[in-house]
Amino acid sequence: MMGLERALIELLLNFVTLEQLNGFLRSPQHTATVVGCLIAVCGALLGSFLLLRGLSLTSDAISHTVLLGIVLAFLLMTGAGWEADTSSPWLILGAAAAGVGTVLLTESLQRSGLVRQDAALGLAFPLLFAIAVILVSRYVDDVHIDEDAVLVGEIGLAWANTNSHCFAHCEPLIITPEHPAAQATRQCVNCRELTISPRDERAEFVSVCGNCGVYSPAQAWGAGLLDEAPMLVFFPKSIAVMLVLTVLTVGFIAVFYKELKLTTFDAALAKSLGFHPGALSLALMALVSLVAVGAFDAVGSILVVAFFIIPPAAAYLLTDRLSGMLLLSPLIGGAGAFFGYDLARGLLFGIFPIEKGIAALNTVFGLSLREAWDSSISASMVLTMFLIFVLVWIFSPRYGLLALAVRRANSRRRFEHQVVLAHIHNHQGTPSHAIELRASTLHQHFRWTPQKMNRVMMRLRALGFVSLEAGSAILTPRGDAHVHAFRKHMLAVHNIPDIDSAQP
């Protein structure tokens, strides 16, 4: 990973200066936004296939059970005397194995025929997650892999977890007792043995070097031991990890797009054509596991579920095409990450100050809500994505609540029009014409209110379908043509021969 980071830095230094790059990477907002967008892209792309396969909550299960793989890999590495940290590739592989194990255990329970898929998932992941929590609380509670860090996470601290890369003046500094910068200090040699204070008259001291040792360029500069600053770039670890996972996710979907599409919509057909839906599904779940563990430090295992589910769910309301869904869902997730940081600072979509909104509620309704806004950045990103989903849910051109309400109102109006037109057509020119089509009593034949009938008649007259003659409703030529066209359409839809227009 260090090599990748250095290669990225060298590439970026061709376009910006070292000071500009460090200024960008050392900004909590910039780092949080970049990491959040990368997580959103990975989660949205993979979550689109999970949503279409009906496996969205599998991401929830995997995001919890990867903790078991992390803990087991950590214990094995420390037991073998290896250095283990959360960025170790062995921990990532352990997390992926745990995710695949979750899927295998769920499928095994389901294939028994005694447990449904949702129940099998509900049995598998609490078991594995409970084991992980027990292992964390008993064996690794002295490191930062604890329940709170793994479950919650905080993307606002991603900028502080960095690797330093030196590009000039990179020699380490060795301080010896003879070095001009060496600082001599006294150390009590018998205080611990006699359990006495250094101020005791029996205390014996020796002179030692208080700052001797080997300093990296960054440590030496921070301690004020160098006259010339080294050229250092501090690169957040989360950016490199999530960038690798983003490239891996995009590459996997690009290479296996057709296979994923076929197995998602018709697994039986894919199997009959020689594909392996099971292997592809396991590969997909392994990638979900990798993304989940990569997002642990940033957003934790609970909030990462939102990055898998909310953007694809919003995109699903905007398009019926898989390609469109794969394009829209990362954009929605990225927008949630971008504006989520502003929400954590108290600005809704970077415009509306939330504190003023809370103050207005307190004033209007006499509430005593706390006006100061202090929110988790990760949670704010998730909340922003949900707000975007709500907006899409309401205003989606095809599947939004408003569009649905408009279509229902139009359907209701069309139905009312056709019922009235059919009634007029059936009774026009018959002996019952005067009774059935009298405008003042027409509403009684439909058991409508007079007001409703007046509204319907006004619309029909405005369309030129109906006119009033001698207090009775009659069809205009246009209305008669409309009724016949509608009749032919309905006969064709139901495959019924038109007897009236049949030739003798």
Side-chain angles (χ1 to χ4, degrees), residues 314 317-319 391-404 407:
L317 296 175
L318 294 172
T319 180
L391 293 176
V392 172
W393 184 40
I394 295 174
F395 298 106
S396 173
R398 298 187 61 182
Y399 303 111
L401 294 180
L402 287 181
L404 181 61
R407 285 198 300 271

Side-chain angles (χ1 to χ4, degrees), residues 11-349:
L11 176 63
L12 293 173
L13 288 177
N14 293 322
F15 306 97
V16 297
T17 65
L18 184 142
E19 291 76 14
Q20 291 173 331
L21 182 59
N22 266 331
F24 182 87
L25 295 176
R26 300 297 286 173
S27 167
Q29 179 177 1
H30 293 159
T31 301
T33 302
V34 171
V35 174
C37 288
L38 292 174
I39 295 174
V41 170
C42 294
L45 291 175
L46 297 174
S48 297
F49 290 101
L50 295 179
L51 177 68
L52 295 173
R53 291 166 178 246
L55 299 174
S56 291
L57 284 182
T58 304
S59 62
D60 183 26
I62 291 177
S63 67
H64 285 72
T65 56
V66 291
L67 177 60
L68 178 60
I70 295 174
V71 174
L72 291 177
F74 183 87
L75 294 176
L76 290 175
M77 293 175 66
T78 53
W82 297 353
E83 182 180 356
D85 58 62
T86 52
S87 61
S88 171
W90 293 107
L91 298 185
I92 296 177
L93 291 176
V100 173
T102 302
V103 176
L104 293 176
L105 179 58
T106 302
E107 289 182 351
S108 298
L109 292 172
Q110 181 185 359
R111 289 173 182 173
S112 68
L114 303 176
V115 181
R116 295 178 57 182
Q117 180 180 2
D118 55 347
L121 188 63
L123 290 169
F125 100 80
L127 169 65
L128 300 179
F129 184 64
I131 296 173
V133 171
I134 292 174
L135 292 177
V136 168
S137 61
R138 289 187 59 85
Y139 298 107
V140 291
D141 57 345
D142 57 339
V143 295
H144 69 283
I145 304 182
D146 53 47
E147 296 97 327
D148 292 337
V150 172
L151 294 179
V152 180
E154 183 47 63
I155 201 170
L157 300 178
W159 69 275
N161 185 17
T162 64
N163 289 320
S164 62
H165 299 268
C166 185
F167 291 87
H169 311 296
C170 303
E171 297 78 13
L173 178 64
I174 302 176
I175 301 293
T176 63
E178 294 78 20
H179 196 279
Q183 298 177 353
T185 184
R186 296 195 310 163
Q187 180 177 358
C188 179
V189 296
N190 64 342
C191 290
R192 179 174 296 179
E193 179 182 353
L194 300 179
T195 63
I196 59 176
S197 168
R199 296 186 177 87
D200 196 290
E201 60 182 11
R202 294 173 294 171
E204 300 177 0
F205 296 90
V206 294
S207 179
V208 296
C209 178
N211 64 340
C212 290
V214 180
Y215 291 78
S216 68
Q219 292 172 333
W221 175 251
L225 300 174
L226 294 178
D227 296 329
E228 192 169 5
M231 292 180 61
L232 296 173
V233 175
F234 298 92
F235 200 90
K237 296 179 181 179
S238 296
I239 291 181
V241 171
M242 291 312 305
L243 184 60
V244 170
L245 291 174
T246 301
V247 172
L248 186 62
T249 300
V250 173
F252 175 76
I253 293 177
V255 172
F256 297 103
Y257 174 76
K258 293 181 180 179
E259 291 80 0
L260 286 169
K261 183 177 181 180
L262 183 58
T263 55
T264 297
F265 293 106
D266 198 335
L269 176 61
K271 189 173 183 179
S272 66
L273 293 176
F275 296 102
H276 301 282
L280 202 59
S281 176
L282 291 179
L284 180 66
M285 295 306 174
L287 200 52
V288 170
S289 303
L290 292 176
V291 173
V293 70
F296 266 6
D297 286 340
V299 296
S301 66
I302 293 180
L303 295 181
V304 73
V305 179
F307 288 86
F308 284 102
I309 297 178
I310 298 178
Y316 188 70
L317 296 175
L318 294 172
T319 180
D320 292 326
R321 299 182 64 86
L322 176 60
S323 57
M325 191 173 176
L326 293 177
L327 290 175
L328 288 174
S329 55
L331 293 177
I332 294 171
F338 180 82
F339 290 110
Y341 195 94
D342 288 331
L343 180 62
R345 296 189 304 171
L347 291 175
L348 182 60
F349 294 113

Side-chain angles (χ1 to χ4, degrees), residues 339-347 373-378 380:
F339 290 110
Y341 195 94
D342 288 331
L343 180 62
R345 296 189 304 171
L347 291 175
W373 183 265
D374 184 15
S375 174
S376 164
I377 298 174
S378 303
S380 297

